[in-house]
């Protein structure tokens, strides 16, 4: 065993040496081949450049260069105007305009490949509608818009007035307003009519509790207000604050929204109300919150409506931990906004607020009891461990079960 191993290794060493010699020989051959290939490349490049110089000096090439220089000189006069239009319409870029631009550019290059960018008529890329129908359903575009199906500005004004005076439900109005917004977008119309359309749609969305649609309108309104177009900017600044305060957990957005407020805007009634709501929510002052809820200007109460349920639950939980042994339910109904006050009268005349409060507390697991006088009391000790937030049974995205899709489709008339 000891002598057999070296005998097997010796032949392997002898066989490796010729292989190394062959490898060195192959390297020398490859170097010679590379040198020959480099000389061939130099000869081919010399021939290429000589032919290129001869072609450049031909009369046809000189004529082509002269026509090209004239084309660029012709486009110099339009360059300043094109840059101005580009800056003006920088915020209006969207999918539909890009598709139309791509189609026009591809068509121009198909017609004549020598057409310069400066020679393209960019105004022709903007769709100018010819449709005269006031009522039109909203359909998502899958191709470049057809001018015969797009309504011009004067027809869109009539369509907006029709929607404002309509007695039909929210889904119909939302569909019509989205169609109006689409026609404005494809025509690159950004003026007071555009602001009015988005403001109308945002208000209807708030009344219906449709926050996703409201957020779309609010984002567009920010851009339009930033461009200097007049509108109800203070009203929607207050809505934006309330939306961030009540329906967003991002403190950075809240700080950013408050930092953009000027000293003049902080004196506005709606903005002051929104800032007061922010202070009440931050400190957990439910008494102040429901007082502000009753005195909310414009549509501030619509945004607060979506937070009332959470605030009432927090208030009753706080009362259950703070008071002993019981609290009158009538007091809770008055503090938590079940009994709407009017003309300084805090009494619930018909008792509907007290009944609504009792149903709400039973649905949230509160323990109720009656005292010797028959008045219903909240057992705070038992309720502190039994309260819970129930899951909504008929929840829909826009917050109103009466606007469910199944109910909408079963109606014979909108």
């Amino acid at each position: 065993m000891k002598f057999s191993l070296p005998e097997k290794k010796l032949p392997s060493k002898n066989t490796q040496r010729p292989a190394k010699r062959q490898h060195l020989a192959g390297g020398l051959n490859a170097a010679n081949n590379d040198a020959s290939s480099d000389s061939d490349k130099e000869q081919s490049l010399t021939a290429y450049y000589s032919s290129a110089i001869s072609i450049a000096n031909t009369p046809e090439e000189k004529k082509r260069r002269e026509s090209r220089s004239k084309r660029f000189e012709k486009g110099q006069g339009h360059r300043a105007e094109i840059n101005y239009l580009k800056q003006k319409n920088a915020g209006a870029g969207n999918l539909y305009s890009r598709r139309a631009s791509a189609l026009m550019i591809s068509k121009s290059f198909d017609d004549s490949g020598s057409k310069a960018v400066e020679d393209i008529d960019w105004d022709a890329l903007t769709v100018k509608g010819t449709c005269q129908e006031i009522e039109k359903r909203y359909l998502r575009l899958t191709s470049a818009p057809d001018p015969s199906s797009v309504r011009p500005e004067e027809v869109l004004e009539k369509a907006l007035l029709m929607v404002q005076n309509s007695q039909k439900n929210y889904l119909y109005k939302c569909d019509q307003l989205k169609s109006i917004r689409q026609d404005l977008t494809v025509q690159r119309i950004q003026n007071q009519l555009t602001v009015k359309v988005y403001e109308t749609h945002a208000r209807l969305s708030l009344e219906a509790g449709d926050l996703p649609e409201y957020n779309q309108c609010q984002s567009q309104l920010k851009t339009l207000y930033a461009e200097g177009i007049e509108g109800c900017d203070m009203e929607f600044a207050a809505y934006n604050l309330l939306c961030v305060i009540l329906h967003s957990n991002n403190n950075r957005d809240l700080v950013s929204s408050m930092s953009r407020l000027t000293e003049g805007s902080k004196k506005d009634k709606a903005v002051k109300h929104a800032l007061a709501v922010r202070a009440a929510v931050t400190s957990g002052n439910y008494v102040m919150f429901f007082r502000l809820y009753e005195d909310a200007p414009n549509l501030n109460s619509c945004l607060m409506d979506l937070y009332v349920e959470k605030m009432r639950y927090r208030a009753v939980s706080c009362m259950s931990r703070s008071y002993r042994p019981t609290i009158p339910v009538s007091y809770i109904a008055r503090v938590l906004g079940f009994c709407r006050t009017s003309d300084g009268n805090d009494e619930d005349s018909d008792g509907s607020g007290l009944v609504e409060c009792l149903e709400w507390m039973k649905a949230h697991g509160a323990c109720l009891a009656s005292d010797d006088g028959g008045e219903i009391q909240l057992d705070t000790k038992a309720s502190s461990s039994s309260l819970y937030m129930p899951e909504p049974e008929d929840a829909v995205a826009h917050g109103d079960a009466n606007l469910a899709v199944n109910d909408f489709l079963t109606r014979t008339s909108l």
Side-chain angles (χ1 to χ4, degrees), residues 63-80:
K63 186 176 180 180
R64 191 179 293 110
R65 289 182 179 181
E66 290 177 0
S67 62
R68 184 180 180 187
S69 63
K70 289 180 181 179
R71 185 172 68 248
F72 280 103
E73 289 174 1
K74 182 180 178 181
Q76 284 290 338
H78 303 283
R79 185 167 299 171

Side-chain angles (χ1 to χ4, degrees), residues 95-96 99 138-146 182 186:
L95 178 62
Y96 312 126
R99 285 178 177 174
Y138 169 74
L139 295 174
R140 189 179 296 275
L141 291 176
T142 57
S143 60
D146 185 8
Q182 185 183 73
V186 298

Side-chain angles (χ1 to χ4, degrees), residues 137-157:
R137 289 188 60 189
Y138 169 74
L139 295 174
R140 189 179 296 275
L141 291 176
T142 57
S143 60
D146 185 8
S148 62
S149 63
V150 178
R151 294 165 291 182
E153 185 174 350
E154 58 272 10
V155 179
L156 292 176
E157 292 179 357

